[in-house]
Amino acid sequence: MQSSPQGRDGIEIRPVYGPSDAAEDLADRLGEPGSFPYTRGVHPTMYTSRPWTMRQYAGFATAAESNRRYRDLLAAGTTGLSVAFDLPTQMGYDSDAPEAAGEVGKVGVAVDSLADMRALFDGIPLGEVSTSMTINAPAAVLLVLYQLVAEEQGVDAAALRGTIQNDILKEYIARGTYIFPPAPSLRLVADTFAYCAAELPQWNTISISGYHMAEAGATPAQELAFTLADGIEYVECALAAGLDVDAFAPRLSFFFVARSTLLTEVAKFRAARRIWARIMRDRFGAKDPRSMKLRFHTQTAGVELTAQQPEVNLARVTVQAVAAVLGGTQSLHTNAYDEAIALPTDTSARLALRTQQVLAAETDLTATVDPFAGSYAVEALTDEVEAEALRLIDAVFAHGSAVAAIEEGFQKGEIERSAYETAKRIDSGEQTVVGVNKYVLNGDEAPYAPLKVDPAIEASQVDRLAAHRAGRDSERLASALAGLKRAASGTDNVLYPLKTALAAGATVGEVCAALAAEWGRHVPTDNW
């Protein structure tokens, strides 16, 4: 028999599977739900006791406008907030920096100071919500600002729940929003691990992300392998800083994509849990079962959305969401159908949330744990994705470390080759994209009115920033920034003086500049 034409991304799906395709030690490879190696899920009851956390990634323009969107989403029934920051914030620049011109508030919300963070969460009780922040190079800065706002609300930091992405290695591989060189960047990650262990024990200190690698063109096995290799590097970094593995590993989390290739994606998620459990137990000697549990957030595949016939994206997102749920995700963001064109409108964002609510409330997906367990096809695919991911992890560490492999361009080169092969298949028509290379409407599509960000927002944000600066105690600020520089030049945990500086009114750009004065700004090599 020939392989199915739907088998792609390096994973061939055969027309028929049978008992001979299942591993002889299948029972051991599966385990029970909530038990090592967690193939069947990290909780014994999974969604039968409570559904996944429904997050909707949102943030645009000013903090006040994003706050209105968050309130609308909470009123619509979302169970967790997810913050998108604009590019200047992601790169550690204030809104009035020359580098920020034309980008303020465009792809996310502009946050320059404690005043902006205060406005972003105005009227939202931070002790009652879980907040995810998609921020990497300055992740520690935004986390401390969030903590300061919570303390102003009277919320104990120990009660705060949420996640910072804080995954700098994937920025060097797939996105490019880095500030500092790798060594101090990894130190900042380790300092964040230690700070949260002491101050914010319920906070997820990192969301090790394969999503952006997948969006750049990585196959499922590449996404899994390069993400877990980065995870190994972070654990090594924390151990080298003197942290005990079971003190920080339970708060590690991951972030994956969900594509439309449902069976392969389910296999990928199941393989991810099994590989990570063994890495933590066998490689790092973790004893706490929580250290071995791969908990992850999922976002549906933005790269698979199309600007042509955007309403078809509703079907794509639904299939992708089902893949995430069947794969055992802990939280989920469903993309709005119009995101290939512009920022989501209120209506499209609400519809994306309703997609999750229908799956949770109107289907039987939450009725049983890991319904695909024992499926000949899914178990065989899980083994195949696992084997290829392990091969690629070995290939990464053949360079010495994940960082060394990044510096030599290994992961980036592998992803670029996969992206090129996918583009060729789509261009030739071998891989169907509905509305793009098949079932095309030839210009007869209905008009669409995208959400637009008012260009005047940049000027108003700059004015607010100037007013904030004018109201500060200059001596207190200078002393706090000097303390931050001293910590950065030594070995003290930088998050404590960072908090002091931000509380004194320092801006995101000012604290990042203070750190860069000691650590330098990263200049990529030819491979990067």
Side-chain angles (χ1 to χ4, degrees), residues 4 15 32 46 53 132 140 145 149 197 223 228 230 232 306 384-385 435 502 520:
S4 165
E32 295 297 323
M46 288 301 291
T53 299
S132 172
L145 286 174
V149 171
E223 176 197 1
L228 297 188
D230 285 353
I232 291 170
T306 64
E384 187 173 347
V385 173
L502 293 168

Side-chain angles (χ1 to χ4, degrees), residues 130 133 159 173:
S130 170
M133 293 188 282
I173 295 172

Side-chain angles (χ1 to χ4, degrees), residues 158-520:
L160 293 177
R161 296 176 297 111
T163 304
I164 43 173
Q165 195 160 100
N166 198 27
D167 178 6
I168 197 61
L169 293 181
K170 70 93 173 47
E171 295 297 323
Y172 301 129
I173 295 172
R175 286 194 74 237
T177 60
Y178 42 72
I179 300 173
F180 315 114
S185 293
L186 288 173
R187 175 201 167 171
L188 188 55
V189 170
D191 280 359
T192 304
F193 287 177
Y195 180 83
C196 288
E199 307 293 336
L200 289 86
Q202 295 195 73
W203 196 269
N204 297 318
T205 53
I206 193 168
S207 179
I208 308 165
S209 175
Y211 180 88
H212 303 92
M213 299 183 207
E215 293 286 279
T219 67
Q222 288 172 340
E223 176 197 1
L224 181 52
F226 299 155
T227 304
L228 297 188
D230 285 353
I232 291 170
E233 191 81 17
Y234 290 127
V235 174
E236 296 276 15
C237 177
L239 293 176
L243 301 179
D244 177 79
V245 65
D246 287 322
F248 67 86
R251 302 318 304 173
L252 303 179
S253 64
F254 292 80
F255 176 25
F256 295 114
V257 78
R259 303 171 181 83
S260 298
T261 45
L262 187 149
L263 296 178
T264 304
E265 292 300 282
V266 171
K268 178 190 74 180
F269 296 134
R270 300 169 84 250
R273 282 191 292 269
R274 192 154 72 203
I275 294 172
W276 188 247
R278 289 171 175 161
I279 286 171
M280 294 307 296
R281 184 192 68 177
D282 301 339
R283 181 170 183 150
F284 294 115
K287 299 292 191 294
D288 188 336
R290 297 176 302 161
S291 298
M292 307 173 204
K293 294 181 179 181
L294 183 144
R295 298 168 300 112
F296 65 98
H297 170 70
T298 308
Q299 181 172 338
T300 56
V303 73
E304 292 188 341
L305 301 181
T306 64
Q308 301 92 328
Q309 301 181 45
E311 65 278 4
V312 178
N313 293 327
L314 291 165
R316 294 187 178 101
V317 169
T318 302
V319 171
Q320 294 160 4
V322 170
V325 172
L326 290 172
T329 193
Q330 275 59 71
S331 63
L332 176 61
H333 164 85
T334 35
N335 289 326
Y337 75 89
D338 51 357
E339 286 189 50
I341 303 170
L343 290 170
T345 63
D346 289 341
T347 299
S348 66
R350 185 169 57 250
L351 184 57
L353 174 62
R354 294 288 184 251
T355 301
Q356 295 196 51
Q357 291 168 335
V358 167
L359 294 181
E362 297 187 21
T363 76
D364 55 6
L365 288 176
T366 61
T368 188
V369 178
D370 189 24
F372 274 168
S375 158
Y376 300 136
V378 169
E379 297 300 351
L381 287 169
T382 301
D383 290 347
E384 187 173 347
V385 173
E386 178 182 24
E388 177 61 10
L390 289 171
R391 184 191 71 79
L392 286 167
I393 290 172
D394 288 342
V396 168
F397 285 98
H399 294 265
S401 68
V403 171
I406 290 169
E407 290 174 335
E408 294 174 31
F410 174 69
Q411 298 97 318
K412 186 171 182 286
E414 292 290 302
I415 292 169
E416 286 174 348
R417 278 189 287 276
S418 297
Y420 177 63
E421 291 301 320
T422 298
K424 284 200 304 182
R425 288 197 302 270
I426 293 172
D427 289 346
S428 69
E430 178 186 352
Q431 181 171 322
T432 296
V433 180
V434 172
V436 174
N437 63 7
K438 198 169 184 180
Y439 311 115
V440 179
L441 289 181
N442 296 318
D444 296 330
E445 298 182 38
Y448 172 79
L451 177 69
K452 295 182 179 180
V453 176
D454 186 346
I457 281 172
E458 183 166 333
S460 63
Q461 179 68 16
V462 168
D463 288 343
R464 279 189 294 273
L465 179 56
H468 169 77
R469 287 198 176 113
R472 303 182 299 187
D473 180 330
S474 58
E475 290 187 6
R476 179 188 175 202
L477 175 64
S479 174
L481 289 174
L484 178 59
K485 287 183 178 181
R486 282 195 301 273
S489 66
T491 58
D492 289 347
N493 190 314
V494 298
L495 270 75
Y496 291 96
L498 176 64
K499 184 181 179 186
T500 300
L502 293 168
T507 66
V508 171
E510 288 167 345
V511 295
C512 288
L515 293 173
E518 303 300 322
W519 295 343

